[in-house]
Amino acid sequence: MEQNQLRNKQGLTEEEFLAQYKPSDYPRPSVTVDMLLFTIENNALKLLLIRRKNHPYMHCWALPGGFVGIEESIEQAVYRELAEETNLTQDVYFEQLYTFGEVNRDPRMRVITCAYISLTPSSNIKNTRAGDDAEDAAWFTVELVEAYQNQQENCYELTLCNAEKNLRLKYTVKEKAEGMRKVYDIAVNPASGGKLAFDHAHSIHMALQRMKNKVNYTPIAFCLVPKQFTLGQLQKVYEVLLGEKLDRANFRKAVRHMVRQVGQGTAQGSRRQAMLFEYNPLGHTD
Amino acid sequence: MEQNQLRNKQGLTEEEFLAQYKPSDYPRPSVTVDMLLFTIENNALKLLLIRRKNHPYMHCWALPGGFVGIEESIEQAVYRELAEETNLTQDVYFEQLYTFGEVNRDPRMRVITCAYISLTPSSNIKNTRAGDDAEDAAWFTVELVEAYQNQQENCYELTLCNAEKNLRLKYTVKEKAEGMRKVYDIAVNPASGGKLAFDHAHSIHMALQRMKNKVNYTPIAFCLVPKQFTLGQLQKVYEVLLGEKLDRANFRKAVRHMVRQVGQGTAQGSRRQAMLFEYNPLGHTD
DNA sequence: CTAATAGTGTCTGTTAGACACTATCTA
DNA sequence: TAGATAGTGTCTAACAGACACTATTAG
């Protein structure tokens, strides 16, 4: 029998069922999106933050975000947020990071937040502005460096830095194994000049880990350079995401099969001119 | 100044602000969780499905799931669902898979669903039962095999099979590159004996991909074998998740640093007895 | 005995990593 | 010319993959 002619226990077809269906009025959580917009500039990873205008976490720096409307998909909400803060609509890569659903994340009410990573080359960014709920917006240099390791735990230091505003936010990240999962204890460092709103330090740390993992086996690095780039630029992206220097010769051998040479000799500031390349999804087409 | 003494534009401290805060009554989406409970039995990957009692997708097979209560976290909701279907509370690994937020996923109303992968050894599973909204519950063998490849797309066939009930659900998965992302077109195969509810075929396909990726660089395989296992059992898990046979000698060399020998000679059914191992998180401690 | 799984050793081709050398451009 | 980046070649140690050999157990 056709699906739409089946009758349920009450004798209703699907059409009849949907016509009489009334969503229960159990209280529902609010759903929001957070956006982690990264770019790379001056050999450093940059993240866009906004400064909150109101309670809670008033005057704290936070990830841009907002509510998911009842008639827009989660991704549409992320696009909307992005447009509100940056005007960007093109050449931005999106990837869902994680959905945060703890009960008391927001002191106002129950909020479930779906965080997205966005990547774009810095050449693509024209101007950023603070949205309605923000009194400021700024790019922060993000760094995650290892502090120490031992049998019980690995410890890292997460730093967000904006030189113009003389801001330096610091977090201590302790990683422990709990069964098969890794658990992270993330706390404001006493030396920090302020704290991030909500659990946003968690999101940022998770994003850094994700990108570090993915850069080696997916082409995300190409989302952080212009369409045409030199291998030197590309290597810088890898180095920033991995947090270590790479050998130039070995790096070139490793990426050769992912790029296609498209031109020669365009300068990039000074020194010897470098050849230009494009990302080559098919690979092996030298 | 202390955070809790700051006053906002209206002159309110945080405490005062929260006391007077009233959530806006914009309509909110419902939030649900779906659980993809996998295990490995008889050299095959098994997934728990339930059969829906009511519209929409009445009598279709679906992932177990349910609403996230206003006072429970997303993970708590997954645990609750798991307990309702299986009684399991121990030795289950959880990992967030993806949050699905398209507008018309559910014909009744706007629903956002957070899908979780759960893994447990088959020895851990005692009995499964259908929950309230289900008329049946059953384990399906899941397989994803490559159909063809060409320049434009890769095509796979996703099969869910339950021999006792003589059920065989088939989907065709077409993978295309769209910019830097991969896009999947998932359609019911004409030869299929029914279809899955909602976008659950998407979830299942995504979970299979995730597990295939992760098995090589994380210890998830150990979540699918008992605490003590033979290397033969472990190899079967890798083979099922990767969808290919592995060389025994090479496999042993590769996992040696992740396991610790704990006993000798316990038989496992027939043939020569094998040594028993445990997962060794520290590694290199032979 | 045979069949099937368990356990190990070895050979080879590929590759990751270290390093050295040359080329080109600016200041 | 000095200094910096670009581009490439080579050596070696490590490793993945193929394969061969032996051991142990059930039937």
Side-chain angles (χ1 to χ4, degrees):
Chain A
M1 202 193 299
E2 277 302 307
Q3 184 77 30
N4 57 14
Q5 286 165 30
L6 286 175
R7 291 178 181 278
N8 70 3
K9 254 189 179 172
Q10 287 78 43
L12 302 177
T13 65
E14 175 160 13
E15 198 178 340
E16 290 161 358
F17 171 84
L18 290 173
Q20 61 87 51
Y21 183 83
K22 247 189 80 191
S24 69
D25 50 1
Y26 286 116
R28 299 175 190 181
S30 297
V31 180
T32 68
V33 289
D34 279 351
M35 179 182 70
L36 294 103
L37 176 57
F38 289 101
T39 193
I40 288 190
E41 204 166 22
N42 300 328
N43 300 339
L45 184 66
K46 307 274 185 176
L47 172 67
L48 182 66
L49 295 179
I50 57 117
R51 194 161 184 236
R52 288 178 56 81
K53 220 183 232 174
N54 201 347
H55 297 299
Y57 297 100
M58 191 163 73
H59 305 322
C60 287
W61 291 88
L63 296 169
F67 289 92
V68 177
I70 196 74
E71 296 224 326
E72 68 180 352
S73 71
I74 297 178
E75 298 228 344
Q76 281 163 357
V78 182
Y79 275 98
R80 187 172 45 73
E81 282 300 324
L82 181 70
E84 284 174 19
E85 309 287 343
T86 65
N87 285 329
L88 288 180
T89 54
Q90 284 191 345
D91 294 326
V92 184
Y93 168 85
F94 285 99
E95 172 177 323
Q96 195 182 95
L97 174 63
Y98 193 76
T99 300
F100 296 88
E102 294 304 310
V103 173
N104 288 311
R105 296 179 55 246
D106 188 316
R108 290 169 293 183
M109 56 184 167
R110 176 71 193 278
V111 177
I112 287 173
T113 297
C114 190
Y116 269 75
I117 291 175
S118 314
L119 306 179
T120 198
S122 60
S123 56
N124 197 28
I125 291 165
K126 300 293 182 329
N127 43 37
T128 51
R129 60 166 177 272
D132 285 345
D133 51 347
E135 53 190 18
D136 201 358
W139 290 91
F140 284 69
T141 302
V142 192
E143 260 184 322
L144 184 68
V145 299
E146 196 176 300
Y148 64 83
Q149 281 201 18
N150 62 35
Q151 293 277 345
Q152 279 76 46
E153 61 187 23
N154 296 345
C155 186
Y156 304 87
E157 192 159 83
L158 172 65
T159 312
L160 293 116
C161 190
N162 181 298
E164 294 81 42
K165 296 175 193 288
N166 198 27
L167 287 166
R168 193 178 202 86
L169 309 178
K170 282 186 162 214
Y171 280 80
T172 301
V173 180
K174 289 187 179 174
E175 174 188 86
K176 285 182 198 176
E178 193 170 275
M180 213 67 71
R181 297 168 86 154
K182 285 182 178 171
V183 178
Y184 297 93
D185 171 36
I186 302 187
V188 186
N189 188 304
S192 178
K195 62 178 177 179
L196 291 163
F198 306 105
D199 48 8
H200 290 181
H202 270 86
S203 301
I204 295 168
H205 175 252
M206 204 181 272
L208 296 179
Q209 280 203 129
R210 173 81 63 93
M211 290 190 290
K212 182 172 176 176
N213 278 329
K214 289 197 101 170
V215 71
N216 272 324
Y217 63 94
T218 73
I220 59 159
F222 298 100
C223 305
L224 290 163
V225 290
K227 201 160 283 167
Q228 301 198 343
F229 50 84
T230 68
L231 295 184
Q233 292 175 313
L234 188 64
Q235 186 176 343
K236 285 282 153 50
V237 172
Y238 275 81
E239 289 177 342
V240 165
L241 293 183
L242 292 171
E244 57 177 338
K245 287 268 167 252
L246 300 175
D247 181 273
R248 192 157 35 88
N250 296 333
F251 175 76
R252 281 158 181 263
K253 277 183 269 183
V255 298
R256 209 177 3 161
H257 69 281
M258 292 189 291
V259 298
R260 177 178 51 221
Q261 193 181 331
V262 290
Q264 230 181 342
T266 300
Q268 67 150 81
S270 63
R271 324 296 171 197
R272 175 175 171 185
Q273 297 185 317
M275 291 193 258
L276 285 177
F277 292 85
E278 276 183 5
Y279 171 52
N280 181 7
L282 300 175
H284 298 295
T285 319
D286 284 325
Chain B
M1 202 192 303
E2 275 303 306
Q3 184 77 30
N4 55 16
Q5 285 162 30
L6 287 177
R7 292 180 182 278
N8 69 3
K9 256 189 179 171
Q10 287 77 44
L12 301 177
T13 65
E14 176 160 12
E15 198 179 339
E16 290 161 357
F17 170 85
L18 290 174
Q20 61 87 48
Y21 183 84
K22 246 189 82 190
S24 69
D25 50 2
Y26 285 116
R28 300 176 189 181
S30 297
V31 179
T32 67
V33 289
D34 279 350
M35 178 182 71
L36 293 103
L37 177 57
F38 289 100
T39 193
I40 288 189
E41 203 166 22
N42 300 328
N43 300 339
L45 183 66
K46 306 274 185 176
L47 171 67
L48 181 66
L49 295 178
I50 58 117
R51 195 163 183 235
R52 288 179 56 81
K53 220 183 231 175
N54 202 347
H55 297 298
Y57 298 99
M58 190 162 73
H59 305 324
C60 287
W61 291 89
L63 296 169
F67 288 92
V68 176
I70 196 72
E71 297 224 325
E72 67 180 352
S73 71
I74 298 178
E75 297 228 345
Q76 280 165 358
V78 182
Y79 276 98
R80 187 172 45 73
E81 281 301 321
L82 180 70
E84 283 173 18
E85 308 288 342
T86 66
N87 284 329
L88 287 180
T89 54
Q90 284 191 345
D91 294 325
V92 183
Y93 168 84
F94 285 99
E95 172 177 322
Q96 194 181 97
L97 175 62
Y98 193 76
T99 300
F100 296 88
E102 292 305 309
V103 173
N104 287 312
R105 298 178 54 245
D106 189 317
R108 290 169 293 184
M109 56 185 168
R110 176 73 193 279
V111 178
I112 287 172
T113 298
C114 190
Y116 270 76
I117 291 174
S118 315
L119 305 177
T120 199
S122 59
S123 57
N124 197 27
I125 291 165
K126 300 297 183 326
N127 42 40
T128 53
R129 59 168 177 271
D132 284 345
D133 51 346
E135 53 190 17
D136 202 359
W139 290 90
F140 284 69
T141 302
V142 192
E143 259 184 323
L144 184 68
V145 298
E146 194 175 300
Y148 64 83
Q149 282 201 16
N150 63 35
Q151 292 277 346
Q152 281 74 47
E153 61 187 24
N154 296 345
C155 186
Y156 304 86
E157 192 159 84
L158 171 65
T159 311
L160 294 117
C161 189
N162 181 298
E164 294 82 42
K165 297 177 193 287
N166 199 27
L167 287 166
R168 193 178 202 85
L169 308 178
K170 282 186 164 213
Y171 281 80
T172 301
V173 180
K174 289 186 179 173
E175 175 188 85
K176 284 182 198 174
E178 194 171 275
M180 215 64 75
R181 297 167 85 154
K182 285 183 178 171
V183 178
Y184 297 92
D185 170 37
I186 303 187
V188 185
N189 188 303
S192 177
K195 63 178 178 179
L196 292 163
F198 307 103
D199 49 7
H200 289 181
H202 271 84
S203 302
I204 295 168
H205 175 251
M206 202 181 274
L208 296 179
Q209 280 203 129
R210 172 82 63 94
M211 289 190 290
K212 182 173 176 177
N213 278 328
K214 287 197 101 169
V215 71
N216 273 324
Y217 63 95
T218 73
I220 59 161
F222 298 99
C223 304
L224 291 163
V225 290
K227 198 159 287 173
Q228 301 199 343
F229 50 84
T230 68
L231 294 184
Q233 292 175 312
L234 187 65
Q235 186 175 343
K236 285 283 153 52
V237 172
Y238 275 80
E239 288 176 343
V240 165
L241 293 184
L242 292 170
E244 58 178 338
K245 288 268 168 248
L246 301 175
D247 180 273
R248 191 156 37 86
N250 297 334
F251 175 78
R252 280 160 181 263
K253 277 183 269 183
V255 298
R256 208 180 1 164
H257 69 280
M258 292 190 290
V259 298
R260 176 177 50 218
Q261 193 180 330
V262 291
Q264 235 184 338
T266 301
Q268 69 151 77
S270 64
R271 323 297 171 196
R272 174 177 171 183
Q273 296 184 316
M275 292 193 257
L276 286 177
F277 292 84
E278 275 183 6
Y279 171 52
N280 181 7
L282 301 176
H284 298 293
T285 320
D286 284 323

